Amino acid sequence: PWGDALVKEFVPALESKFRCNGARFLRGHSSGGWTVLWLQTQYPQFFHGCWSSSPDPVDFRNFSHANLYKGDNLYYDEKGELLQIATVGGRVPWAPAKLSYQIENVISRGEQMHSFDAVFSGRGADGNPESICNPETGAMNNLVFEHWKKYDISLNLRSNWATLKKELDGKIRISVGEQDNFGLNEPVHLLEKEMKSIGANMQFEYFPGDHFTVATAEYRKKGFIFLAAKYKEWLLK
């Protein structure tokens, strides 16, 4: 229970020993972007503002271009063509999901794709995280996906907004490059559409650039301006 350990143990210990004033803000990029958005939405009263930059998939209807709710294979689309998880500048494909999963299966503990299992999956009989798919065929494990669903940020917000609105409204900024190498702008667009449909006050902004070039001076400045404004609001309260 890493989230509970952070907010119930580590942060209180930190604030008890150092000169803190109780203001708690979150900022992260890529997997860190997903993490801070998860923390803000799971502990909306504890944290007072969040800037999520180019987060890992925030809507599992577009998870590395695969719709996990409808698909049965993470290697191929409905036409039988390879799904790409990485591109150059959002245009030129260079890493299909099949290659990535199979490479990580060979090196055992894996890298990016196995990290998703580590965060979203349940514990298997051998003590390791259960795999979302068969590494040889790409066939999706729907029982494992049932455990993944609780980590679909978009689904959680849509399902629980009536409860979350009071403490969460206005606290979130999400920004991403429109040429993101991993297509992470696409699930962000899905999330924005859903948040607009329920009247949620969240800040979304899209910039030129990919996953690694998006963080220009302007990009960073706007993110810090948002966090500074949230801090001023917190001081007034």
Side-chain angles (χ1 to χ4, degrees), residues 2-226:
W2 299 110
D4 283 352
L6 178 70
V7 303
K8 296 178 181 179
E9 298 176 22
F10 179 77
V11 172
L14 186 76
E15 293 180 338
S16 70
K17 295 183 179 181
F18 295 93
R19 195 168 50 203
C20 303
N21 67 356
R24 309 180 191 105
F25 295 89
L26 297 160
R27 172 198 172 205
H29 181 79
S30 193
S31 292
W34 185 93
T35 299
V36 298
L37 188 57
W38 173 257
L39 287 169
Q40 182 66 73
T41 55
Q42 292 297 302
Y43 305 94
Q45 188 173 12
F46 189 83
F47 295 105
H48 306 115
C50 165
W51 171 27
S52 171
S53 172
S54 303
D56 284 346
V58 294
D59 190 313
F60 288 176
R61 292 172 298 177
N62 189 319
F63 192 94
S64 297
H65 306 294
N67 185 337
L68 301 185
Y69 292 92
K70 292 185 177 180
D72 56 7
N73 194 287
L74 296 187
Y75 291 175
Y76 303 97
D77 62 16
E78 295 177 349
K79 299 179 180 179
E81 298 179 353
L82 285 171
L83 288 166
Q84 301 292 327
I85 64 166
T87 66
V88 177
R91 298 185 304 276
V92 182
W94 68 270
K98 180 179 180 179
L99 178 63
S100 299
Y101 276 106
Q102 291 184 342
I103 287 175
E104 292 192 21
N105 185 54
V106 171
I107 60 177
S108 185
R109 292 187 65 84
E111 296 182 2
Q112 181 66 65
M113 310 316 290
H114 276 179
S115 77
F116 294 133
D117 286 335
V119 176
F120 306 144
S121 296
R123 187 189 302 273
D126 61 357
N128 291 315
E130 295 180 305
S131 178
I132 188 64
C133 72
N134 183 309
E136 294 184 5
T137 66
M140 185 172 148
N141 188 324
N142 289 305
L143 289 177
V144 172
F145 180 55
E146 286 302 312
H147 198 278
W148 276 44
K149 286 180 182 178
K150 69 177 70 175
Y151 298 100
D152 184 338
I153 292 176
S154 176
L155 176 63
N156 177 56
L157 289 172
R158 299 194 315 263
S159 303
N160 300 293
W161 186 247
T163 303
L164 294 170
K165 177 180 173 64
K166 180 180 178 182
E167 294 294 342
L168 198 57
D169 220 24
K171 287 185 175 181
I172 292 173
R173 171 182 170 83
I174 304 175
S175 57
V176 64
E178 283 287 43
Q179 292 79 43
D180 191 272
N181 306 76
F182 311 105
L184 298 175
N185 50 315
E186 296 173 16
V188 170
H189 278 290
L190 281 177
L191 178 61
E192 180 182 19
K193 181 179 179 181
E194 295 291 354
M195 295 301 97
K196 284 183 176 179
S197 72
I198 60 177
N201 177 18
M202 292 186 190
Q203 191 176 113
F204 292 84
E205 192 165 6
Y206 305 90
F207 292 78
D210 62 28
H211 198 69
F212 307 101
T213 64
V214 69
T216 62
E218 178 190 13
Y219 184 87
R220 296 192 302 272
K221 180 179 180 180
K222 287 189 172 183
F224 289 132
I225 287 174
F226 172 81

